[in-house]
Coordinates of all heavy atoms in Angstrom, one line a residue:
Q285 N -37.1 53.7 -17.5 CA -37.1 53.4 -18.9 C -37.8 52.0 -19.1 O -37.5 51.1 -18.4 CB -35.8 53.4 -19.6 CG -34.7 52.7 -18.8 CD -33.3 52.9 -19.4 OE1 -33.2 53.0 -20.6 NE2 -32.3 52.8 -18.6
G286 N -38.6 51.9 -20.1 CA -39.2 50.7 -20.5 C -39.7 50.8 -21.9 O -40.3 51.8 -22.3
F287 N -39.4 49.8 -22.7 CA -39.8 49.8 -24.1 C -39.7 48.4 -24.7 O -38.9 47.6 -24.2 CB -38.9 50.8 -25.0 CG -37.5 50.6 -24.8 CD1 -36.7 49.7 -25.5 CD2 -36.7 51.4 -23.9 CE1 -35.4 49.5 -25.4 CE2 -35.4 51.3 -23.8 CZ -34.7 50.3 -24.5
A288 N -40.4 48.2 -25.8 CA -40.4 46.9 -26.4 C -39.1 46.7 -27.2 O -38.7 47.7 -27.9 CB -41.6 46.7 -27.3
L289 N -38.6 45.5 -27.2 CA -37.4 45.2 -28.0 C -38.0 44.4 -29.2 O -39.1 43.8 -29.2 CB -36.5 44.3 -27.3 CG -35.8 45.0 -26.0 CD1 -35.0 43.9 -25.2 CD2 -34.8 46.1 -26.5
Q290 N -37.2 44.4 -30.3 CA -37.6 43.8 -31.5 C -37.5 42.2 -31.4 O -36.6 41.7 -30.8 CB -36.8 44.2 -32.7 CG -37.1 45.6 -33.2 CD -36.5 45.9 -34.6 OE1 -36.0 44.9 -35.2 NE2 -36.5 47.1 -35.0
G291 N -38.6 41.6 -31.8 CA -38.5 40.1 -31.9 C -39.1 39.4 -30.8 O -39.5 39.9 -29.7
T292 N -39.0 38.1 -30.9 CA -39.5 37.1 -30.0 C -38.4 36.1 -29.6 O -37.6 35.7 -30.5 CB -40.7 36.3 -30.5 OG1 -41.8 37.2 -30.8 CG2 -41.1 35.2 -29.6
I293 N -38.2 35.8 -28.4 CA -37.2 34.8 -27.9 C -37.9 33.5 -27.5 O -39.0 33.5 -27.0 CB -36.4 35.4 -26.8 CG1 -35.1 34.5 -26.5 CG2 -37.2 35.5 -25.5 CD1 -34.1 35.1 -25.7
T294 N -37.2 32.4 -27.9 CA -37.6 31.1 -27.4 C -36.4 30.5 -26.7 O -35.3 30.5 -27.3 CB -38.1 30.2 -28.6 OG1 -39.2 30.8 -29.2 CG2 -38.4 28.8 -28.1
F295 N -36.6 30.0 -25.5 CA -35.4 29.3 -24.9 C -35.9 28.1 -24.1 O -37.1 28.0 -23.6 CB -34.6 30.2 -24.0 CG -35.3 30.9 -22.8 CD1 -35.4 30.3 -21.6 CD2 -35.9 32.2 -23.0 CE1 -36.1 30.9 -20.5 CE2 -36.6 32.8 -22.0 CZ -36.6 32.2 -20.7
T296 N -35.0 27.1 -24.0 CA -35.3 25.8 -23.3 C -34.2 25.6 -22.2 O -33.1 25.8 -22.5 CB -35.3 24.7 -24.3 OG1 -36.3 24.8 -25.2 CG2 -35.5 23.3 -23.6
I297 N -34.7 25.3 -21.0 CA -33.8 25.0 -19.9 C -34.1 23.6 -19.4 O -35.3 23.3 -19.1 CB -34.0 26.0 -18.8 CG1 -33.7 27.4 -19.3 CG2 -33.1 25.7 -17.6 CD1 -34.0 28.5 -18.3
K298 N -33.1 22.8 -19.3 CA -33.2 21.5 -18.6 C -32.5 21.6 -17.3 O -31.4 22.1 -17.2 CB -32.6 20.4 -19.5 CG -33.3 20.2 -20.8 CD -32.7 19.0 -21.6 CE -33.4 18.8 -22.9 NZ -32.9 17.6 -23.7
S299 N -33.2 21.1 -16.3 CA -32.7 21.1 -14.9 C -32.8 19.7 -14.3 O -33.7 18.9 -14.6 CB -33.5 22.1 -14.0 OG -33.4 23.4 -14.6
V300 N -31.8 19.4 -13.4 CA -31.8 18.2 -12.7 C -32.2 18.5 -11.2 O -31.5 19.3 -10.6 CB -30.4 17.5 -12.7 CG1 -30.4 16.2 -11.8 CG2 -29.9 17.2 -14.1
L301 N -33.3 18.0 -10.8 CA -33.9 18.3 -9.5 C -33.7 17.2 -8.5 O -33.9 16.0 -8.8 CB -35.4 18.7 -9.6 CG -35.7 20.0 -10.2 CD1 -35.6 20.0 -11.7 CD2 -37.1 20.5 -9.8
N302 N -33.3 17.5 -7.3 CA -33.2 16.5 -6.2 C -33.6 17.1 -4.9 O -33.3 18.3 -4.6 CB -31.7 16.1 -6.1 CG -31.2 15.3 -7.3 OD1 -31.6 14.2 -7.5 ND2 -30.3 16.0 -8.0
H303 N -34.3 16.3 -4.1 CA -34.7 16.8 -2.7 C -33.5 16.5 -1.8 O -32.9 15.4 -1.8 CB -35.9 16.1 -2.3 CG -37.2 16.6 -2.9 ND1 -37.9 17.7 -2.4 CD2 -37.9 16.2 -4.0 CE1 -38.9 18.0 -3.2 NE2 -38.9 17.1 -4.2
R304 N -33.2 17.5 -1.0 CA -32.1 17.3 0.0 C -32.5 17.8 1.3 O -33.6 18.4 1.5 CB -30.8 18.2 -0.5 CG -30.4 18.0 -1.9 CD -29.6 16.6 -2.0 NE -28.9 16.6 -3.3 CZ -28.5 15.4 -3.9 NH1 -28.7 14.3 -3.2 NH2 -27.9 15.4 -5.0
T305 N -31.7 17.6 2.3 CA -31.9 18.3 3.6 C -30.5 18.7 4.1 O -29.4 18.2 3.8 CB -32.4 17.3 4.7 OG1 -31.5 16.2 4.9 CG2 -33.8 16.8 4.3
S306 N -30.5 19.8 4.9 CA -29.4 20.3 5.6 C -29.8 20.8 6.9 O -31.0 20.7 7.3 CB -28.7 21.4 4.8 OG -27.4 21.7 5.3
V307 N -28.9 21.3 7.7 CA -29.3 21.6 9.1 C -28.8 23.0 9.5 O -27.7 23.4 9.1 CB -28.8 20.6 10.1 CG1 -29.4 19.2 9.9 CG2 -27.3 20.5 10.2
N308 N -29.6 23.7 10.3 CA -29.1 24.8 11.2 C -28.7 24.2 12.5 O -29.4 23.2 13.0 CB -30.2 25.8 11.4 CG -30.6 26.5 10.1 OD1 -29.8 26.8 9.2 ND2 -31.9 26.9 10.0
V309 N -27.7 24.7 13.1 CA -27.3 24.3 14.5 C -27.8 25.4 15.5 O -27.4 26.6 15.3 CB -25.8 24.1 14.6 CG1 -25.5 23.4 15.9 CG2 -25.3 23.2 13.4
V310 N -28.6 25.0 16.5 CA -29.2 26.0 17.3 C -28.9 25.7 18.8 O -29.2 24.6 19.3 CB -30.7 26.1 17.1 CG1 -31.3 27.3 17.8 CG2 -31.1 26.1 15.6
G311 N -28.3 26.7 19.5 CA -28.0 26.6 20.9 C -28.7 27.7 21.7 O -28.8 28.9 21.2
L312 N -29.1 27.4 22.9 CA -29.9 28.3 23.7 C -29.1 28.7 25.0 O -28.6 27.8 25.7 CB -31.2 27.7 24.1 CG -32.0 28.4 25.2 CD1 -32.5 29.8 24.7 CD2 -33.2 27.6 25.7
L313 N -29.0 30.0 25.3 CA -28.5 30.5 26.6 C -29.7 31.1 27.3 O -30.1 32.2 26.9 CB -27.4 31.5 26.4 CG -26.8 32.1 27.6 CD1 -26.2 31.0 28.6 CD2 -25.7 33.1 27.2
P314 N -30.3 30.5 28.3 CA -31.5 31.0 28.9 C -31.1 32.3 29.7 O -30.1 32.4 30.4 CB -32.0 29.9 29.9 CG -31.3 28.7 29.3 CD -30.0 29.1 28.8
G315 N -32.1 33.3 29.7 CA -31.9 34.5 30.5 C -32.3 34.3 31.9 O -33.0 33.3 32.2
K316 N -31.9 35.2 32.8 CA -32.2 35.1 34.2 C -33.3 36.0 34.7 O -33.8 35.7 35.8 CB -30.9 35.4 35.0 CG -29.8 34.5 34.7 CD -30.1 33.0 35.0 CE -29.0 32.1 34.7 NZ -29.4 30.6 34.8
D317 N -33.7 37.0 33.9 CA -34.8 37.9 34.4 C -36.1 37.2 34.2 O -36.4 36.6 33.2 CB -34.7 39.2 33.6 CG -35.7 40.2 34.1 OD1 -35.4 40.9 35.1 OD2 -36.8 40.3 33.5
A318 N -37.0 37.4 35.2 CA -38.3 36.8 35.2 C -39.1 37.2 34.0 O -39.9 36.4 33.5 CB -39.1 37.1 36.5
K319 N -39.0 38.4 33.5 CA -39.7 38.9 32.4 C -38.9 38.8 31.1 O -39.4 38.3 30.1 CB -40.2 40.3 32.6 CG -41.0 40.9 31.5 CD -41.4 42.3 31.8 CE -42.1 42.9 30.6 NZ -42.6 44.4 30.9
L320 N -37.7 39.3 31.1 CA -36.9 39.4 29.9 C -36.4 38.1 29.4 O -36.1 37.9 28.2 CB -35.7 40.3 30.1 CG -36.0 41.8 30.4 CD1 -34.7 42.6 30.6 CD2 -36.8 42.4 29.3
A321 N -36.4 37.0 30.2 CA -36.0 35.7 29.7 C -36.9 35.2 28.6 O -36.5 34.3 27.9 CB -35.9 34.7 30.9
A322 N -38.1 35.7 28.5 CA -39.1 35.3 27.5 C -38.8 36.0 26.2 O -39.5 35.8 25.2 CB -40.5 35.6 28.0
E323 N -37.8 36.9 26.1 CA -37.4 37.5 24.9 C -36.0 37.0 24.5 O -35.2 36.6 25.4 CB -37.3 39.0 25.1 CG -38.6 39.7 25.4 CD -38.6 41.2 25.6 OE1 -37.4 41.7 25.6 OE2 -39.6 41.8 25.7
Y324 N -35.7 37.0 23.2 CA -34.5 36.3 22.7 C -33.8 37.2 21.7 O -34.3 37.8 20.8 CB -34.9 35.0 21.9 CG -35.6 34.0 22.8 CD1 -37.0 34.1 23.1 CD2 -34.9 33.0 23.4 CE1 -37.6 33.2 23.9 CE2 -35.5 32.0 24.2 CZ -36.9 32.2 24.5 OH -37.5 31.3 25.3
L325 N -32.5 37.3 22.0 CA -31.5 37.9 21.1 C -30.9 36.8 20.3 O -30.5 35.8 20.9 CB -30.5 38.7 21.8 CG -29.2 39.1 21.0 CD1 -29.6 40.1 19.9 CD2 -28.1 39.7 21.9
V326 N -30.8 36.9 19.0 CA -30.2 35.9 18.1 C -28.8 36.4 17.7 O -28.6 37.5 17.3 CB -31.0 35.6 16.9 CG1 -30.3 34.6 15.9 CG2 -32.4 35.0 17.3
M327 N -27.8 35.5 17.8 CA -26.5 35.7 17.1 C -26.4 34.7 16.0 O -26.6 33.5 16.3 CB -25.3 35.7 18.1 CG -25.3 36.8 19.1 SD -23.7 36.9 20.0 CE -22.8 37.9 18.7
S328 N -26.1 35.1 14.8 CA -26.1 34.1 13.7 C -24.8 34.3 12.9 O -24.2 35.4 12.8 CB -27.3 34.4 12.8 OG -27.4 35.7 12.3
A329 N -24.5 33.2 12.2 CA -23.4 33.2 11.2 C -23.7 32.0 10.3 O -24.1 30.9 10.7 CB -22.0 33.1 11.8
H330 N -23.5 32.2 9.0 CA -23.7 31.0 8.1 C -22.5 30.1 8.1 O -21.4 30.5 8.0 CB -24.1 31.5 6.7 CG -23.1 32.0 5.8 ND1 -22.3 31.2 5.0 CD2 -22.7 33.3 5.5 CE1 -21.5 31.9 4.3 NE2 -21.7 33.2 4.6
L331 N -22.8 28.8 8.1 CA -21.8 27.8 8.2 C -21.4 27.2 6.8 O -20.3 26.7 6.7 CB -22.4 26.6 9.1 CG -21.5 25.4 9.3 CD1 -20.2 25.8 10.1 CD2 -22.3 24.4 10.2
D332 N -22.3 27.4 5.9 CA -22.0 26.8 4.6 C -21.1 27.6 3.7 O -21.0 28.8 3.9 CB -23.3 26.6 3.8 CG -24.0 27.9 3.4 OD1 -24.2 28.7 4.4 OD2 -24.3 28.1 2.2
H333 N -20.5 27.0 2.7 CA -19.8 27.7 1.6 C -20.2 27.0 0.3 O -21.3 26.5 0.2 CB -18.3 27.8 1.9 CG -17.7 28.9 1.0 ND1 -18.1 30.1 1.0 CD2 -16.6 28.8 0.2 CE1 -17.4 30.9 0.1 NE2 -16.5 30.1 -0.4
L334 N -19.3 27.0 -0.7 CA -19.7 26.6 -2.0 C -19.4 25.1 -2.3 O -19.8 24.6 -3.3 CB -19.0 27.5 -3.1 CG -19.3 29.0 -3.0 CD1 -18.6 29.7 -4.1 CD2 -20.7 29.2 -2.9
G335 N -18.5 24.5 -1.5 CA -18.2 23.0 -1.8 C -16.9 22.9 -2.6 O -16.0 23.7 -2.5
H336 N -16.9 21.9 -3.5 CA -15.8 21.7 -4.3 C -16.2 21.3 -5.7 O -17.3 20.7 -5.9 CB -14.8 20.6 -3.8 CG -15.3 19.2 -3.9 ND1 -16.4 18.7 -3.3 CD2 -14.9 18.2 -4.7 CE1 -16.6 17.4 -3.6 NE2 -15.7 17.1 -4.5
N337 N -15.4 21.6 -6.7 CA -15.7 21.4 -8.1 C -14.7 20.4 -8.7 O -13.6 20.7 -9.0 CB -15.7 22.7 -8.9 CG -16.0 22.6 -10.4 OD1 -16.4 21.5 -10.8 ND2 -15.9 23.6 -11.1
P338 N -15.2 19.1 -8.8 CA -14.2 18.1 -9.3 C -13.7 18.4 -10.7 O -12.7 17.9 -11.1 CB -15.1 16.8 -9.3 CG -16.2 17.1 -8.3 CD -16.5 18.6 -8.5
A339 N -14.4 19.2 -11.5 CA -14.0 19.4 -12.9 C -12.9 20.5 -12.9 O -12.4 20.7 -14.0 CB -15.2 19.9 -13.7
L340 N -12.7 21.2 -11.8 CA -11.7 22.3 -11.8 C -10.3 21.7 -11.7 O -10.0 20.9 -10.8 CB -12.0 23.2 -10.7 CG -11.3 24.6 -10.7 CD1 -11.6 25.4 -11.9 CD2 -11.6 25.3 -9.4
A341 N -9.4 22.1 -12.6 CA -8.0 21.7 -12.5 C -7.3 22.4 -11.3 O -7.6 23.6 -11.0 CB -7.2 22.1 -13.8
G342 N -6.4 21.7 -10.6 CA -5.7 22.3 -9.5 C -6.6 22.3 -8.3 O -7.3 21.4 -8.0
D343 N -6.4 23.4 -7.5 CA -7.2 23.6 -6.2 C -8.7 23.7 -6.6 O -9.1 24.7 -7.2 CB -6.7 24.8 -5.5 CG -7.3 24.9 -4.1 OD1 -8.2 24.1 -3.8 OD2 -7.0 25.9 -3.4
A344 N -9.5 22.7 -6.2 CA -10.9 22.7 -6.5 C -11.8 22.9 -5.3 O -13.0 22.7 -5.5 CB -11.2 21.4 -7.3
I345 N -11.2 23.2 -4.1 CA -12.0 23.3 -2.9 C -12.2 24.7 -2.5 O -11.2 25.5 -2.4 CB -11.3 22.5 -1.8 CG1 -11.2 21.0 -2.1 CG2 -12.1 22.7 -0.5 CD1 -10.5 20.2 -1.1
Y346 N -13.4 25.1 -2.4 CA -13.8 26.5 -2.0 C -13.9 26.5 -0.5 O -15.0 26.4 0.1 CB -15.1 26.9 -2.7 CG -15.0 27.0 -4.2 CD1 -14.9 25.8 -5.0 CD2 -15.0 28.2 -4.8 CE1 -14.8 25.9 -6.3 CE2 -15.0 28.3 -6.2 CZ -14.8 27.2 -6.9 OH -14.7 27.3 -8.3
N347 N -12.8 26.7 0.2 CA -12.7 26.5 1.6 C -13.5 27.5 2.4 O -14.0 27.2 3.6 CB -11.2 26.6 2.1 CG -10.3 25.6 1.4 OD1 -9.9 25.8 0.3 ND2 -10.0 24.5 2.1
G348 N -13.7 28.7 1.9 CA -14.5 29.7 2.7 C -13.9 30.0 4.0 O -14.6 30.0 5.0
A349 N -12.6 30.4 4.0 CA -12.0 30.7 5.3 C -12.6 32.0 5.9 O -13.0 32.0 7.0 CB -10.5 30.8 5.1
L350 N -12.5 33.1 5.1 CA -13.1 34.3 5.6 C -14.6 34.3 5.4 O -15.4 34.9 6.1 CB -12.5 35.5 4.8 CG -11.0 35.8 5.2 CD1 -10.4 36.9 4.3 CD2 -10.8 36.1 6.6
D351 N -15.1 33.6 4.4 CA -16.5 33.5 4.1 C -17.0 32.0 4.2 O -17.0 31.3 3.3 CB -16.8 33.9 2.6 CG -18.2 34.0 2.3 OD1 -19.1 34.0 3.2 OD2 -18.5 34.1 1.1
N352 N -17.4 31.6 5.4 CA -17.5 32.3 6.6 C -17.1 31.6 7.8 O -17.7 31.6 8.9 CB -19.0 32.7 6.7 CG -19.3 33.7 7.9 OD1 -18.6 34.6 8.1 ND2 -20.4 33.5 8.5
A353 N -15.9 30.8 7.7 CA -15.4 30.2 8.9 C -15.0 31.2 9.9 O -15.1 30.9 11.1 CB -14.1 29.3 8.4
S354 N -14.6 32.4 9.5 CA -14.3 33.5 10.4 C -15.5 33.9 11.2 O -15.4 34.0 12.5 CB -13.7 34.7 9.6 OG -14.7 35.2 8.8
G355 N -16.7 34.0 10.6 CA -17.9 34.4 11.3 C -18.3 33.3 12.3 O -18.8 33.6 13.4
V356 N -18.2 32.1 11.9 CA -18.6 31.0 12.8 C -17.7 30.9 14.0 O -18.1 30.7 15.1 CB -18.7 29.6 12.0 CG1 -19.0 28.5 13.0 CG2 -19.7 29.7 10.9
A357 N -16.4 31.1 13.7 CA -15.4 31.2 14.8 C -15.8 32.2 15.8 O -15.7 32.0 17.0 CB -14.0 31.4 14.3
I358 N -16.2 33.4 15.3 CA -16.6 34.5 16.2 C -17.8 34.1 17.0 O -18.0 34.3 18.2 CB -16.8 35.8 15.4 CG1 -15.4 36.3 14.9 CG2 -17.5 36.8 16.3 CD1 -15.6 37.5 14.0
L359 N -18.8 33.5 16.3 CA -20.0 33.0 16.9 C -19.7 32.0 18.1 O -20.3 32.1 19.2 CB -20.9 32.3 15.9 CG -22.3 31.8 16.4 CD1 -23.2 32.9 16.6 CD2 -22.8 30.8 15.3
L360 N -18.8 31.1 17.8 CA -18.5 30.1 18.8 C -17.8 30.7 20.0 O -18.1 30.4 21.2 CB -17.6 29.0 18.2 CG -18.2 28.1 17.2 CD1 -17.1 27.2 16.6 CD2 -19.3 27.3 17.8
E361 N -16.9 31.7 19.8 CA -16.3 32.4 20.9 C -17.3 33.2 21.7 O -17.2 33.3 22.9 CB -15.1 33.2 20.4 CG -13.9 32.3 20.1 CD -13.4 31.5 21.3 OE1 -12.8 32.1 22.2 OE2 -13.7 30.3 21.4
N362 N -18.2 33.9 21.0 CA -19.2 34.7 21.7 C -20.1 33.8 22.5 O -20.4 34.1 23.7 CB -20.1 35.4 20.7 CG -19.4 36.7 20.1 OD1 -19.9 37.3 19.2 ND2 -18.2 37.0 20.6

Side-chain angles (χ1 to χ4, degrees):
Q285 47 184 327
F287 50 84
L289 296 170
Q290 285 194 11
T292 297
I293 191 167
T294 298
F295 60 88
T296 298
I297 300 173
K298 293 183 179 181
S299 302
V300 179
L301 285 78
N302 294 290
H303 285 273
R304 309 285 192 198
T305 60
S306 191
V307 297
N308 296 325
V309 190
V310 190
L312 168 66
L313 178 60
K316 298 302 180 184
D317 184 81
K319 179 179 179 181
L320 295 182
E323 297 182 351
Y324 297 83
L325 167 65
V326 174
M327 294 196 80
S328 59
H330 76 87
L331 182 59
D332 66 307
H333 197 51
L334 302 186
H336 76 290
N337 181 6
L340 190 65
D343 186 0
I345 297 176
Y346 294 72
N347 303 82
L350 291 174
D351 185 17
N352 187 38
S354 62
V356 177
I358 290 172
L359 179 75
L360 292 175
E361 283 301 283
N362 284 175

